[in-house]
Amino acid sequence: MTMIGIIDYGMGNLYSVSKALERLDYPYIISGDPNELKQARGLILPGVGSFKDAMHILRETGLSDFIRTAADSGTPLLGICLGMQLLFEESEENGLTAGLKLLRGRVVRIPEAGANGERYKVPHMGWNRLKFHHASPLLDHVEEGHVYFVHSYYVVTDDSKAVLASSTYNVEVPAVVGKENIFGTQFHPEKSGEVGMKILQNYVAIVEGKGNG
């Protein structure tokens, strides 16, 4: 049976992601077992918490190798919030930690001081507007609306083509990233109303091989 595998490593918002897939009437499994997840046509890597802790768990359970192998084989992969950050090379959170290295870039803390001395609360929490930069099947028929963020760190990358959309919060925050079969959202699409649900619907279409591009 065609389904999406939600990767359970103890640090993901599994309930809201699974409920969103239920609203889309798309079958899924929640599992931390690579052998079970191999049956899925697409994978979602959610995440809430510390980059260092998450990578430690992914390495210890063998999920990091599984995710890299699946991505290299062409399996569509969607990282959400911390899950998106884990796709990149490294993070400075709680000391420098290597990531999954599927995309080029480093995760750094959002600066609290603006260029003109203004102060920004960190974590960045709440609704912020998307600005699109590149076309992608993940963004088909998606409006540049507001989406819901909760994060203290953001991605810095020199691969501008991988930044599909951004939001501004003191700095330009990559909000949607994508390269070939690998995608990520810094915000929570499952908590972002119609805009977020359309992005998830597009991801389902990509998994089904129906996405454009």
Side-chain angles (χ1 to χ4, degrees):
M1 182 176 66
T2 302
M3 60 188 170
I4 286 174
I6 303 174
I7 301 170
D8 180 8
Y9 60 105
M11 294 184 64
N13 196 350
L14 305 176
Y15 178 80
S16 61
V17 174
S18 63
K19 285 299 177 185
L21 291 179
E22 287 177 16
R23 290 200 296 275
L24 293 172
D25 196 27
Y26 199 84
Y28 65 88
I29 58 168
I30 299 173
S31 178
D33 183 348
N35 289 322
E36 290 185 353
L37 292 167
K38 283 178 184 176
Q39 304 170 38
R41 183 178 285 189
L43 297 168
I44 294 179
L45 179 64
V48 177
S50 160
F51 189 107
K52 182 184 281 291
D53 292 344
M55 279 307 304
H56 175 74
I57 294 169
L58 290 177
R59 285 193 298 266
E60 288 294 305
T61 57
L63 283 167
S64 58
D65 288 339
F66 164 74
I67 293 167
R68 280 191 288 260
T69 299
D72 288 346
S73 72
T75 300
L77 171 64
L78 174 65
I80 295 175
C81 197
L82 173 62
M84 177 192 121
Q85 295 178 1
L86 295 170
L87 303 177
F88 287 84
E89 292 171 297
E90 59 187 16
S91 172
E92 67 174 27
E93 183 179 3
N94 298 327
L96 199 62
T97 303
L100 294 170
K101 301 183 180 181
L102 295 171
L103 297 173
R104 203 164 70 232
R106 172 183 276 202
V107 180
V108 303
R109 186 171 173 83
I110 298 171
E112 296 182 23
N116 298 316
E118 65 272 36
R119 304 297 294 177
Y120 287 82
K121 290 183 179 180
V122 177
H124 169 209
M125 184 180 298
W127 295 82
N128 208 336
R129 190 172 186 85
L130 291 176
K131 178 183 178 182
F132 293 171
H133 301 293
H134 302 290
S136 167
L138 193 67
L139 298 178
D140 275 356
H141 305 294
V142 177
E143 296 181 2
E144 289 186 325
H146 287 75
V147 291
Y148 187 75
F149 291 84
V150 183
H151 64 120
S152 299
Y153 290 77
Y154 75 107
V155 171
V156 174
T157 178
D158 61 3
D159 187 0
S160 61
K161 290 184 178 179
V163 180
L164 305 179
S166 65
S167 290
T168 301
Y169 188 75
N170 190 8
V171 291
E172 185 172 347
V173 175
V176 183
V177 297
K179 190 171 185 179
E180 298 174 349
N181 56 303
I182 300 166
F183 303 94
T185 63
Q186 180 60 75
F187 56 91
H188 288 274
E190 77 281 8
K191 297 181 178 180
S192 295
E194 291 184 10
V195 173
M197 286 304 293
K198 181 58 180 172
I199 288 172
L200 288 174
Q201 186 177 31
N202 285 342
Y203 176 68
V204 166
I206 291 168
V207 172
E208 286 288 297
K210 299 173 183 175
N212 296 327

